[in-house]
Amino acid sequence: SKDANTNLAISHLLNDIVSEYLQLIPDGPFLGIKPILVVLLPAPKAIINLLPHVYMIGLTRDTTAYSQLTYQFAHEMGHVYSDPRNNNWLIEAFCEALSLIMLEKMGIKWEVQPSVKGLNYYAAEFDRYKNQVISEYTVDLGINEDELANIQLSGYLRTLESNINRPINFVLSYRILGYYRREPNILKLIPYLHYTSNLVEFVYNDTIFPDLIRFESHLPVDLKVLWEDFK
């Protein structure tokens, strides 16, 4: 934004989200801690052009739409943590789950200590936005929220033609969200998602299917137990 106060307010929100990531995934991104450059783009995206020195994230809003900014930035930070050179349906599902998780976290935080002073009232908007996202997906799927747990995904996953299939990504993300509420350490798997592809240099690798055998072979014992339980 050209408005300095708007930029400052947005930076406070994004810094809060980064702080939450550091607490949830203390080992940090697979490629390590680096400066993050946020730019305005037509669509949200984690961009690899400045690697290995800087993470770049594109967002679509430069106004104080804090709930939408949280949703977008949290998702793209998931790509930063898993390795922004890499994408597949499993990474997309975890990134979508992180959007929902951060909306919950910002809603709780802003009730007491909002990033922008005096905006305690905005806390409810984060929850409203999260519920709106869930509602839109369940309408698209033709089901209600209670039925999400009963969708059998294996057949859909085998026939995916793109890593980005929003309804399928969402169903997986909703299950990750539910598991996270019982076991927050599920998010510590995210940096290891780097191993779902065999990456070479700093080139974007956009695939549909994760290499789960390679991924599982790199997990430490505690996370392997967690993954097997979740899977």
Side-chain angles (χ1 to χ4, degrees), residues 12-226:
H12 286 324
L13 170 70
L14 303 187
N15 283 331
D16 269 356
I17 295 170
V18 170
S19 295
E20 292 290 348
Y21 263 89
L22 291 170
Q23 291 182 50
L24 290 168
I25 313 172
D27 287 345
F30 180 84
L31 293 174
I33 301 292
K34 307 178 191 298
I36 301 170
L37 174 65
V38 178
V39 297
L40 188 65
L41 289 179
K45 189 171 180 61
I47 304 160
I48 68 169
N49 298 36
L50 301 182
L51 288 174
H53 307 294
V54 176
Y55 298 117
M56 183 159 55
I57 290 177
L59 303 178
T60 67
R61 300 297 297 269
D62 61 350
T63 63
T64 51
Y66 301 115
S67 54
Q68 185 179 12
L69 287 166
T70 296
Y71 184 81
Q72 292 183 2
F73 187 69
H75 181 111
E76 301 311 326
M77 279 293 292
H79 288 296
V80 164
Y81 265 69
S82 61
D83 189 336
R85 299 174 294 169
N86 186 15
N87 202 15
N88 52 60
W89 61 253
L90 184 59
I91 291 173
E92 278 296 316
F94 269 96
C95 290
E96 186 70 12
L98 284 160
S99 288
L100 301 175
I101 288 166
M102 287 300 163
L103 284 168
E104 286 189 355
K105 283 192 160 292
M106 290 301 103
I108 292 167
K109 183 183 188 308
W110 279 46
E111 280 188 313
V112 180
Q113 190 179 7
S115 308
V116 184
K117 188 176 179 180
L119 290 191
N120 304 67
Y121 70 88
Y122 193 91
E125 174 62 20
F126 293 104
D127 199 49
R128 187 204 66 78
Y129 195 92
K130 182 197 72 176
N131 290 334
Q132 175 185 318
V133 170
I134 293 171
S135 175
E136 287 175 356
Y137 277 118
T138 52
V139 167
D140 287 345
L141 290 162
I143 60 174
N144 60 51
E145 190 173 343
D146 293 335
E147 294 173 305
L148 283 170
N150 299 321
I151 296 178
Q152 297 299 313
L153 287 174
S154 55
Y156 291 109
L157 291 172
R158 282 194 293 269
T159 59
L160 284 177
E161 296 180 355
S162 169
N163 56 43
I164 301 176
N165 181 308
R166 293 299 181 200
I168 300 304
N169 296 150
F170 166 72
V171 174
L172 282 164
S173 73
Y174 189 85
R175 293 180 183 179
I176 293 168
L177 171 66
Y179 196 91
Y180 157 81
R181 287 171 175 160
R182 303 192 302 276
E183 182 46 83
N185 284 334
I186 187 71
L187 299 185
K188 292 181 180 179
L189 291 167
I190 290 170
Y192 291 91
L193 293 172
H194 158 86
Y195 294 108
T196 55
S197 288
N198 190 8
L199 299 175
V200 179
E201 299 301 327
F202 286 92
V203 177
Y204 186 60
N205 182 50
D206 193 10
T207 59
I208 299 174
F209 303 103
D211 185 341
L212 294 180
I213 294 174
R214 187 168 187 267
F215 167 64
E216 292 167 357
S217 72
H218 284 86
L219 292 176
V221 173
D222 59 332
L223 292 182
K224 189 172 291 187
V225 171
L226 200 63

